[in-house]
Amino acid sequence: MKFFRSRARRTKSSPVSRARALYLSGRYAEAEAGASAVVRSRPRDDMDVPLALTIAALSIGAQGRHAEALAAYDEALPVFGRIFGSDHWQTLKLRSDRAQQLAALGRHAECEAEGAAVVRAAACGTGPEMRLVAAAASNGVVFALNAQGRHVEAEALAREALAALDEPDRLCLVLRLGLARSLNGQARYEEALAEAAGADELHRGLPPEERGQEAGAVELVMATSLLELGRDAEARVRAATAHDACLASFGPEHRRTREARALLDRFDGA
């Protein structure tokens, strides 16, 4: 995960590095506990605190406690602003991550507005980190646009953001999934399925510590395409796989788990 690698220059035995490793391995409750312990034990100007606050917020969101995660980001933002400044890439990345929790809570217009503001701010900066921040924030906007039924806009933004990336990585994966969602929303199901298949190949090629964060995401998009194409049996298998993966990784209250459950309910007539 490039942002974590950029932020952390610490020994593997440090508490914040252990919390980071727990998060990347999908042990979110333990990562939250470890990161929160760092925050409680250090003065607010300690340079481990921003990373610990980030890990705690990400871990809370990964467990499906999206309202708590949003509150954690709101607590972290003043710390980041004081230590790094409002225009620093780390502060902007935190705002981008916070916007994702707005989307998970169904506050899609707010997610869109905040993500677009981060993209504009990142465009004023320089360096590879700012380009990654812009891509991450664009992904949030793509999701929000799709959720609002504005699929043509989402497609255009996803393609623009993908064109700006230098290499296939997790950001490329999530943007390709956002593109596939936009194509599903336009009833271009064969195109969406092809895009999702490409995302699946990319997902399989990611390092293990990056694959877990997108558990079930590819299968969920594929299931939607297959269902609309009338390939119900294949679609149900994909939806069940997505739900099982999300349930095991994130728990029942996570946004993606709930989406997979709702898709399964369409098969079950609920």
Side-chain angles (χ1 to χ4, degrees), residues 39-55:
V39 174
R40 288 193 302 270
S41 65
R42 305 289 176 86
R44 283 292 168 145
D45 58 352
D46 188 297
M47 291 305 292
D48 276 351
V49 168
L51 180 56
L53 286 168
T54 299
I55 294 168

Side-chain angles (χ1 to χ4, degrees), residues 42-254:
R42 305 289 176 86
R44 283 292 168 145
D45 58 352
D46 188 297
M47 291 305 292
D48 276 351
V49 168
L51 180 56
L53 286 168
T54 299
I55 294 168
L58 286 167
S59 299
I60 294 167
Q63 294 172 79
R65 291 152 46 207
H66 300 299
E68 291 180 58
L70 183 62
Y73 282 112
D74 288 340
E75 177 187 354
L77 273 171
V79 178
F80 275 66
R82 185 177 67 251
I83 293 176
F84 301 115
S86 60
D87 295 328
H88 193 276
W89 71 265
Q90 296 198 51
T91 306
L92 294 176
K93 177 60 169 58
L94 191 79
R95 288 176 60 188
S96 174
D97 291 342
R98 177 183 178 275
Q100 295 281 357
Q101 297 306 311
L102 291 170
L105 291 167
R107 295 162 62 177
H108 302 301
E110 293 174 72
C111 173
E112 177 193 352
E114 178 67 349
V118 171
V119 171
R120 290 193 298 272
C124 297
T126 58
E129 292 89 357
M130 283 296 193
R131 289 195 295 274
L132 291 173
V133 167
S138 294
N139 174 61
V141 176
V142 168
F143 187 92
L145 290 170
N146 276 323
Q148 295 173 84
R150 293 157 58 190
H151 303 297
V152 174
E153 294 174 71
E155 178 188 358
L157 180 57
R159 293 190 186 281
E160 178 184 345
L162 280 165
L165 292 177
D166 296 327
E167 59 182 282
D169 57 12
R170 180 171 167 256
L171 277 176
C172 183
L173 166 66
V174 295
L175 283 164
R176 290 192 71 172
L177 290 173
L179 175 57
R181 284 176 177 269
S182 76
L183 295 169
N184 273 334
Q186 297 174 69
R188 293 159 59 186
Y189 304 120
E190 292 284 4
E191 293 175 69
L193 191 59
E195 195 64 48
D200 187 31
E201 182 177 354
L202 178 55
H203 183 248
R204 294 173 188 275
L206 290 177
E209 66 270 17
E210 295 186 26
R211 288 200 297 269
Q213 298 162 60
E214 301 310 317
V218 172
E219 290 81 4
L220 189 54
V221 174
M222 281 187 162
T224 302
S225 303
L226 290 165
L227 178 60
E228 298 297 345
L229 287 168
R231 295 161 61 177
D232 292 11
E234 295 172 77
R236 199 188 195 295
V237 169
R238 290 282 186 178
T241 299
H243 181 262
D244 291 347
C246 292
L247 190 62
S249 296
F250 311 123
E253 298 306 316
H254 191 274

